[in-house]
Amino acid sequence: MPADPLHLPDSLRRTLPAARWERVTLGKSGAGVWRSTKYVVKVQGRGGSPVSTLLQERERLRWFAGRLPAPQVVGYEVTTGHEYLAMTRVPGIPMSDPDATLHPQRVVDLLARALRELHALPIRDCPFRMTLDVTLRLAREQVEAGTVDEADFDEERRGRTAVSVFNELARTRPDAEDLVVTHGDPCLPNLIVSGEHVEGLIDLGRAGIADRHADLALAWRSVRDILDEGWAERLLDLYGRDLVDRGKIGYFMLLDELF
């Protein structure tokens, strides 16, 4: 990954105005992120991950335009070693920001509302599939390539191997999927808020048609870790308990260990 400062390819330097770029360290997307007052640039090594390339994120951002609030694509470029994605900066702060988490009721209310609106989009219109046949294949490729960070497993799975996690996923795969349009990684840093509104969804490289619990599991875990378990349970109440399968919450948290 290029070191600070940000060095843009010529095509993007012609597209973006001259600006002072600040490195963003929040998040675990696998890409380097820089921002100015109006724009964000993500940089990712080519061939680094089959799970979420910046080209995939560009296509998803274009699809979300006019459907839900998200950054607008400004430019995309590929060099010998890297991908670059330039987009507009969403005004506001991440839900994980200390100023946001001072108001946990507002955070979980806005998160539940955003997930319900996202999951209500017609799946017939969405060209991206992240169903289990896709994600389990990707997970297996990650395991076989040795790219899973076993040291980053959740506490309840510390000491396990990626192979054992994958074998459990294969053995306990749900019989059916409750398919909706999903974000793919709706943790609190990936929703930008301002006051009483969600201004934008970011890091959409894994968005697509999947079981709604792929989102609910990661949102529940993020709220539990940043706020507490009581607020995580409140999130499920606000989303709609009749739609929640606790077994699937656990399954998709397990699946995320391999990404």
Side-chain angles (χ1 to χ4, degrees):
M1 192 62 56
D4 296 334
L6 173 63
H7 296 287
L8 292 169
D10 289 343
S11 61
L12 289 184
R13 282 197 287 118
R14 290 192 293 268
T15 300
L16 294 169
R20 181 175 180 178
W21 296 97
E22 171 193 9
R23 184 74 183 260
V24 179
T25 57
L26 182 68
K28 299 181 179 180
S29 69
V33 181
W34 284 260
R35 67 187 177 194
S36 68
T37 55
K38 294 184 178 180
Y39 300 98
V40 171
V41 174
K42 297 180 75 169
V43 186
Q44 183 166 296
R46 294 184 65 187
S49 170
V51 177
S52 177
T53 67
L54 295 187
L55 179 61
Q56 290 169 339
E57 185 167 357
R58 182 193 71 172
E59 296 308 303
R60 284 158 169 80
L61 286 173
R62 288 177 170 175
W63 184 81
F64 272 100
R67 290 181 168 89
L68 284 178
Q72 297 177 356
V73 175
V74 175
Y76 172 81
E77 188 58 73
V78 179
T79 64
T80 303
H82 296 90
E83 292 181 282
Y84 295 78
L85 176 63
M87 61 201 114
T88 55
R89 179 174 175 178
V90 177
I93 59 175
M95 279 188 174
S96 57
D97 188 279
D99 286 343
T101 58
L102 285 173
H103 308 281
Q105 179 65 57
R106 181 189 303 167
V107 166
V108 296
D109 180 73
L110 290 176
L111 178 55
R113 190 187 312 168
L115 289 175
R116 288 198 308 268
E117 290 178 1
L118 171 62
H119 294 170
L121 292 175
I123 63 173
R124 66 178 178 274
D125 296 339
C126 182
F128 312 110
R129 293 192 67 84
M130 295 298 287
T131 49
L132 283 174
D133 57 329
V134 174
T135 52
L136 286 174
R137 174 180 55 80
L138 291 172
R140 181 167 189 158
E141 290 175 4
Q142 295 270 91
V143 173
E144 291 175 345
T147 57
V148 176
D149 184 2
E150 296 170 344
D152 194 44
F153 283 177
D154 291 342
E155 186 174 350
E156 58 266 36
R157 284 176 280 275
R158 292 282 169 81
R160 291 189 58 175
T161 66
V163 170
S164 75
V165 168
F166 180 82
N167 288 342
E168 181 179 347
L169 289 166
R171 186 176 66 253
T172 62
R173 177 176 177 169
D175 294 330
E177 295 177 75
D178 183 6
L179 298 179
V180 297
V181 177
T182 62
H183 179 289
D185 189 15
C187 57
L188 295 187
N190 289 340
L191 288 92
I192 307 300
V193 295
S194 178
E196 301 293 331
H197 301 281
V198 174
E199 296 290 345
L201 312 179
I202 64 172
D203 283 350
L204 288 161
R206 289 164 57 183
I209 298 170
D211 192 303
R212 72 176 72 242
H213 294 83
D215 274 354
L216 291 176
L218 303 193
W220 183 92
R221 184 183 62 190
S222 184
V223 173
R224 179 200 64 185
D225 292 348
I226 293 174
L227 298 175
D228 62 39
E229 189 163 343
W231 287 114
E233 291 301 310
R234 177 64 176 159
L235 170 67
L236 300 183
D237 291 338
L238 292 168
Y239 181 86
R241 285 281 178 177
D242 56 323
L243 297 171
V244 176
D245 181 327
R246 294 306 300 231
K248 283 187 174 182
I249 294 279
Y251 183 88
F252 283 98
M253 287 174 61
L254 183 68
L255 176 59
D256 190 59
E257 298 285 29
L258 301 183
F259 292 96

